[in-house]
Amino acid sequence: FAGQHYNYLCGCNDGNRHYSGANTDTKRIALSWVPRCTGFVSFLCSLFIIRDIFRDKKKRVSSYHQIIFGLSSFDCISSLTWVVGTAVVPEYQWGQETGIEGAYGNQLTCEISGFFMQLGLFGSTGYNFALSVYYVLVIVNSVPEFKIKTLRKYFHIPPIVIALAFGGAGIPFYDNLIMICHVPPYPEDEKYLVYVLVVVPILLALAGCMLNMARIYWTVRKQSHASRKWTMSGAISSRTPNDDRNNNSNNHGPPTLDRVVFWQAIFYVASFTITWPFWIVSLLRFETTSYVYFIFVATMVPLQGAFNFIVYMRPRWGQRVLQNQRLRQAARSKKSSESHSIPKKPSEQVSRHLEPVDQEQEGCEDEYRRTEMETTETTDTRNPPSVKAVEEEEEKKAGEADFEAQGTTSQDIASVSEAEAAAAEKALLPTEPSASSSEVNPMSNEPQEQSSVLQQRAEDYVSSDNQEQEQQKEGEDKVLSLV
């Protein structure tokens, strides 16, 4: 390994030292400070997760949060090694100046840094695998929380023991890797060391996580198909017109608990997959990897704690988004109900409209009497007698002649006719409204009935929307309560 670093002294590599492709001072400074910045961000994110779990009593006793606590603790360790960076790299090695940007350490500091680097790597890997096993127990096997509490020691003891074992096993082999101290890629006859101490264990743990995710995916897929089949059969057998509106507004319904937990597990495994495997590739191809790839590694590998922070906060952010959606939906429903609602006291408005109706009715009756009197007085002057009237007059005269023959005078006939006319006029005239009828007007019942019907319809519409919102809220709260 020393020959690979100092072969430029004998003319190899065109007399240029291998510095992970950094052939200028600017590139060397960037290669030294980029992992420090990203490692510091990751350290703060992991520290926030630890603080958030430690301050909540319910989270401290939760199996899921205890696993996340252990994962974040080892992420803090590995992030701190990246923050320290080249400060612990030996300034002089094998009698030669290393020339590493910001190197002020020695072989002892390099070995200590390598130990904590290995400890954080295997600790976070072990807890990622333990987290995938936890999700298998919850989703695939449906193990309740009180039974998982009896298995807690198996979630914590193996990752800690494995991390300490591999960290101690690599102490004789930790060396300078430009950006940090870790197990270097030795020549071909000793290259098995990097496979035994780093590559194979990490790949086995990653394969185990992928296998557990496949089991979870298959279980969630079967449950989703069964639920969809049952829902479709029920919808066909009992379908109402309101179902069309509900299906248009929410075609898929609220997410199930297993589906949400499955995606949470996928994101945790993804945060591990997009970080440490790139470091493994850089160890295997240390001499041939370009400067761009090393900058990419220096950016991504220290960020596992930041990615875990995003996954950890994802349910909380999702819950806030749902709350904002509920507030906006409630505001829209309130606005819609106000536009379709009836005033709270419609009887008052109806009575105000009915009062002039009663006065108008009384005026109409008086006008009818005056018109009738004027008509009877001016009929002879304004309307000339018609043929039918002349015939009736002749018949009347003939009848009077008959009555005179029988001893009845025309005055008697006139008196009788006047009495009959008065009776007929009295019958034709509309009667005066009584006191009881003026107090209770039958016309006022119709507007009151119409207003009550409209008000009942508006209340039914608002109540149906409120029931839908409550059902959706209960489903969402149930999903988010266990994530």
Side-chain angles (χ1 to χ4, degrees):
F1 181 70
Q4 294 177 0
H5 274 273
Y6 298 102
N7 56 5
Y8 68 95
L9 296 175
C10 59
C12 297
N13 196 25
D14 296 332
N16 297 321
R17 177 180 178 163
H18 180 270
Y19 199 110
S20 301
N23 51 12
T24 63
D25 293 339
T26 303
K27 290 183 178 180
R28 293 175 182 178
I29 293 173
L31 200 62
S32 174
W33 282 96
V34 166
R36 288 177 175 175
C37 296
T38 55
F40 183 70
V41 172
S42 180
F43 173 77
L44 293 180
C45 293
S46 299
L47 196 63
F48 175 84
I49 296 175
I50 295 173
R51 176 178 173 271
D52 185 73
I53 296 174
F54 188 77
R55 294 180 62 183
D56 194 335
K57 183 177 180 180
K58 294 182 179 179
K59 292 180 180 180
R60 289 201 301 267
V61 299
S62 171
S63 300
Y64 161 75
H65 288 94
Q66 287 183 357
I67 296 174
I68 299 299
F69 185 90
L71 175 62
S72 300
S73 300
F74 281 102
D75 283 337
C76 283
I77 295 174
S78 61
S79 298
L80 283 177
T81 58
W82 286 105
V83 171
V84 174
T86 58
V88 296
V89 173
E91 184 178 4
Y92 295 93
Q93 201 169 18
W94 297 294
Q96 297 289 336
E97 186 178 1
T98 57
I100 304 298
E101 179 68 27
Y104 301 103
N106 51 37
Q107 187 62 28
L108 178 61
T109 59
C110 186
E111 291 177 356
I112 295 174
S113 176
F115 170 79
F116 284 106
M117 179 71 174
Q118 187 83 334
L119 185 69
L121 170 61
F122 277 88
S124 61
T125 303
Y127 270 105
N128 270 285
F129 181 76
L131 186 62
S132 67
V133 173
Y134 168 81
Y135 281 123
V136 169
L137 295 176
V138 172
I139 298 177
V140 178
N141 299 325
S142 300
V143 179
E145 176 66 18
F146 72 91
K147 289 187 178 180
I148 293 179
K149 289 182 178 179
T150 61
L151 305 174
R152 283 180 178 176
K153 57 184 178 180
Y154 300 106
F155 292 126
H156 299 283
I157 295 178
I160 295 174
V161 171
I162 292 174
L164 291 173
F166 278 90
I171 290 177
F173 309 104
Y174 298 134
D175 211 330
N176 172 23
L177 286 178
I178 308 298
M179 293 184 295
I180 205 170
C181 291
H182 200 210
V183 180
Y186 285 98
E188 294 298 332
D189 55 344
E190 298 180 354
K191 204 168 186 176
Y192 68 93
L193 291 174
V194 71
Y195 283 99
V196 173
L197 296 176
V198 181
V199 176
V200 174
I202 300 300
L203 292 180
L204 287 177
L206 183 61
C209 292
M210 294 297 180
L211 181 62
N212 290 333
M213 291 301 104
R215 294 180 60 188
I216 295 172
Y217 169 76
W218 182 252
T219 302
V220 173
R221 185 173 181 271
K222 289 195 301 182
Q223 293 177 356
S224 178
H225 280 285
S227 176
R228 189 180 306 172
K229 183 178 179 181
W230 179 84
T231 303
M232 291 178 64
S233 62
I236 294 173
S237 60
S238 58
R239 187 178 182 84
T240 61
N242 293 328
D243 292 338
D244 296 332
R245 184 182 66 178
N246 297 333
N247 292 333
N248 292 331
S249 62
N250 191 5
N251 294 328
H252 301 285
T256 61
L257 177 62
D258 291 342
R259 191 184 305 170
V260 172
V261 176
F262 164 72
W263 282 111
Q264 191 76 355
I266 286 291
F267 290 138
Y268 273 120
V269 175
S271 65
F272 171 74
T273 305
I274 62 178
T275 52
W276 288 111
F278 294 111
W279 178 249
I280 293 175
V281 174
S282 66
L283 292 179
L284 297 178
R285 301 180 60 84
F286 186 78
E287 295 295 331
T288 59
T289 305
S290 64
Y291 171 77
V292 176
Y293 183 80
F294 274 106
I295 285 291
F296 176 77
V297 171
T299 305
M300 294 296 294
V301 174
L303 285 177
Q304 185 183 3
F307 295 143
N308 289 336
F309 170 78
I310 295 174
V311 179
Y312 178 79
M313 296 295 296
R314 174 177 165 268
R316 193 176 304 178
W317 294 338
Q319 191 172 7
R320 291 181 180 177
V321 171
L322 290 176
Q323 289 177 355
N324 294 333
Q325 291 178 354
R326 291 171 185 170
L327 292 176
R328 290 194 295 268
Q329 187 176 3
R332 289 194 297 266
S333 300
K334 183 179 180 181
K335 185 176 180 181
S336 177
S337 63
E338 289 177 354
S339 62
H340 294 86
S341 62
I342 304 298
K344 295 181 179 180
K345 296 181 178 180
S347 59
E348 297 179 358
Q349 296 185 359
V350 173
S351 62
R352 288 197 299 269
H353 290 289
L354 289 178
E355 288 175 359
V357 173
D358 296 337
Q359 297 175 359
E360 184 178 359
Q361 184 178 1
E362 294 176 357
C364 290
E365 292 175 356
D366 296 338
E367 184 68 21
Y368 172 76
R369 293 191 188 94
R370 289 194 298 269
T371 304
E372 190 70 20
M373 292 175 66
E374 293 175 357
T375 302
T376 55
E377 293 176 356
T378 61
T379 300
D380 296 335
T381 60
R382 289 184 298 178
N383 296 327
S386 60
V387 177
K388 185 176 181 180
V390 173
E391 292 178 352
E392 291 179 353
E393 186 66 24
E394 291 178 353
E395 291 179 357
K396 183 178 181 181
K397 291 179 179 180
E400 289 178 357
D402 293 338
F403 279 113
E404 289 177 357
Q406 296 176 5
T408 306
T409 63
S410 60
Q411 295 178 356
D412 297 333
I413 295 173
S415 62
V416 173
S417 63
E418 289 177 0
E420 292 177 354
E425 183 179 358
K426 185 178 181 181
L428 291 173
L429 287 175
T431 60
E432 291 291 336
S434 61
S436 61
S437 63
S438 63
E439 292 177 358
V440 181
N441 193 352
M443 294 176 62
S444 63
N445 293 331
E446 296 180 358
Q448 291 180 357
E449 292 178 357
Q450 293 178 358
S451 63
S452 62
V453 171
L454 293 175
Q455 186 176 5
Q456 183 64 29
R457 290 181 180 176
E459 291 177 355
D460 294 341
Y461 178 80
V462 174
S463 63
S464 62
D465 288 344
N466 293 334
Q467 290 177 0
E468 293 177 1
Q469 294 176 6
E470 290 177 358
Q471 291 176 359
Q472 184 178 4
K473 182 178 179 181
E474 290 177 359
E476 294 169 352
D477 293 339
K478 183 179 179 181
V479 167
L480 295 174
S481 62
L482 298 177
V483 181

